[in-house]
Amino acid sequence: VGAIGPWNWPMMISVWQLAPALRMGNTVVMKPSEYTPLSVLALVKVINSVLPEGVLNIVTGDGKVGAALSTSQGIDKLMFTGSTETGRKIVESTAASLARVTLELGGNDAGIVLDDVNAKEIAEGLFWGAFINTGQTCAAMKRLYVPESIYDEVVDALVEVAKNMPMGVGLEEENVLGPLQNKQQFDIVDKLVKAAKDGGARVLVGGDPDYDQPGYFFPATLVADIDNDNPLVAEEQFGPALPIIKYSTVDEAIEMANSLDVGLGSSVWSADRERALEVASQLEAGTTWINAHGNVDPRIPFGGTKNSGYGVEFGVEGLKGLAYPHVVNG
């Protein structure tokens, strides 16, 4: 099994890849992101203190190393977590060997709030659904749809939560939000927030980073009164900026949520479970959470639809994806 990991949760996602692969009896070659190799190197060193030599292997480097891994004839299965663009390249490069592939790719997760909620009760859950790991999570909520009847209530409640979430160096215990991992990602978030401002959207909190501050700190940013086709909504920001889009009918919200070519996660927020389930059943996503967002569980299959990839991790189905079915008939 070849495993190519991302920079946003380097150790955790590496465990998601290597643990089931080893459990199903495979040897593994891991390639961590060139942005975050050190923690994964340390993890593999610890694991290899008890594994036989050659079972778990690690190679580091940039995309050329990943490309070599994906074209290797010695790889029977490839697991990749990362961007849709790179996922497409992996599919192309594995064509010659016909290696099996599990892809967990980019998402632009939608959350839909229904008009029966208590805005203050759900505000913190909405915030962390979007801003966990400072928004650098594939299955974080990246666009929020709110009915016009309670739009101002939800917006005000979110602003109150955001104002009380300190950002800073992680070694300082009071901080709960940290920096973006690299300059490239900082520039993407900065560009998309500027596009929202240029489009006439209203920045409620954040939006103006201190460019002279060391580290790639972008303040937690909430953006209201934004069009659904604005780049901050239509493109995955992968950072601490949440656009809040107003809708008139639930059908309109579902249509907007399904309008993009990605479908990793989604969520529905309601005081009525049956009503929430009815809306959830119409969303195009690998996972839809009710009154939560991004709560993955290793016992439950997790994967995407559309351009968010194929195959699943976790659960029995994820384990099955790391072995060949073999029928002995006779």
Side-chain angles (χ1 to χ4, degrees):
V1 173
I4 302 176
W7 49 257
N8 58 320
W9 292 93
M11 280 210 297
M12 184 176 74
I13 292 178
S14 293
V15 170
W16 293 359
Q17 295 172 331
L18 70 87
L22 294 173
R23 179 66 181 83
M24 294 302 286
N26 301 286
T27 56
V28 179
V29 180
M30 300 210 69
K31 204 294 275 188
S33 168
E34 59 270 34
Y35 290 106
T36 54
L38 299 182
S39 60
V40 185
L41 282 165
L43 173 69
V44 169
K45 181 178 181 180
V46 170
I47 296 173
N48 276 337
S49 68
V50 295
L51 285 182
E53 184 177 354
V55 172
L56 175 58
N57 310 276
I58 187 165
V59 291
T60 59
D62 59 14
K64 293 179 181 178
V65 177
L69 188 60
S70 64
T71 56
S72 171
Q73 293 297 313
I75 297 296
D76 302 301
K77 167 81 181 191
L78 193 69
M79 305 179 75
F80 172 73
T81 297
S83 71
T84 298
E85 179 184 0
T86 303
R88 287 196 181 98
K89 293 178 181 178
I90 286 174
V91 171
E92 293 171 0
S93 63
T94 55
S97 67
L98 291 179
R100 275 61 173 167
V101 180
T102 294
L103 300 173
E104 196 261 88
L105 306 179
N108 195 343
D109 288 13
I112 297 178
V113 173
L114 302 186
D115 61 7
D116 55 17
V117 301
N118 181 311
K120 291 184 178 180
E121 288 181 359
I122 67 168
E124 190 162 337
L126 289 172
F127 180 87
W128 285 117
F131 290 92
I132 184 173
N133 201 30
T134 319
Q136 298 167 107
T137 298
C138 295
M141 181 167 53
K142 300 186 174 81
R143 47 197 173 112
L144 179 63
Y145 296 94
V146 178
E148 55 190 4
S149 61
I150 59 168
Y151 187 82
D152 290 340
E153 294 174 43
V154 172
V155 162
D156 290 345
L158 271 170
V159 168
E160 284 305 306
V161 173
K163 285 181 176 178
N164 293 308
M165 295 294 178
M167 172 180 284
V169 176
L171 295 176
E172 297 171 2
E173 195 168 330
E174 69 274 12
N175 292 323
V176 296
L177 294 171
L180 292 167
Q181 201 281 325
N182 56 76
K183 186 178 187 302
Q184 178 182 351
Q185 197 58 44
F186 179 94
D187 290 343
I188 290 171
V189 176
D190 194 31
K191 179 190 74 171
L192 292 174
V193 171
K194 286 177 179 175
K197 294 178 183 177
D198 293 343
R202 180 164 53 105
V203 176
L204 304 167
V205 62
D208 292 309
D210 180 355
Y211 297 101
D212 296 325
Q213 175 179 323
Y216 302 119
F217 289 94
F218 198 99
T221 301
L222 297 171
V223 181
D225 302 330
I226 186 169
D227 294 331
N228 195 55
D229 59 358
N230 187 280
L232 181 60
V233 181
E235 300 175 25
E236 183 183 26
Q237 69 277 47
F238 214 73
L242 178 66
I244 309 169
I245 306 99
K246 189 180 298 182
Y247 73 82
S248 299
T249 67
V250 174
D251 286 343
E252 179 190 12
I254 294 170
E255 182 180 357
M256 289 191 291
N258 289 339
S259 65
L260 301 183
D261 58 2
V262 288
L264 187 58
S266 60
S267 59
V268 181
W269 302 74
S270 174
D272 185 332
R273 176 173 170 77
E274 293 304 315
R275 191 177 176 212
L277 290 172
E278 172 61 26
V279 174
S281 68
Q282 300 177 65
L283 296 179
E284 298 168 354
T287 300
T288 300
W289 291 275
I290 306 297
N291 295 329
H293 199 111
N295 298 348
V296 297
D297 186 316
R299 298 166 296 182
I300 301 170
F302 176 74
T305 186
K306 299 196 279 191
N307 286 349
S308 290
Y310 50 75
V312 297
E313 298 172 290
F314 304 157
V316 173
E317 292 304 313
L319 289 174
K320 286 181 178 178
L322 286 155
Y324 291 120
H326 178 197
V327 177
V328 179
N329 189 336

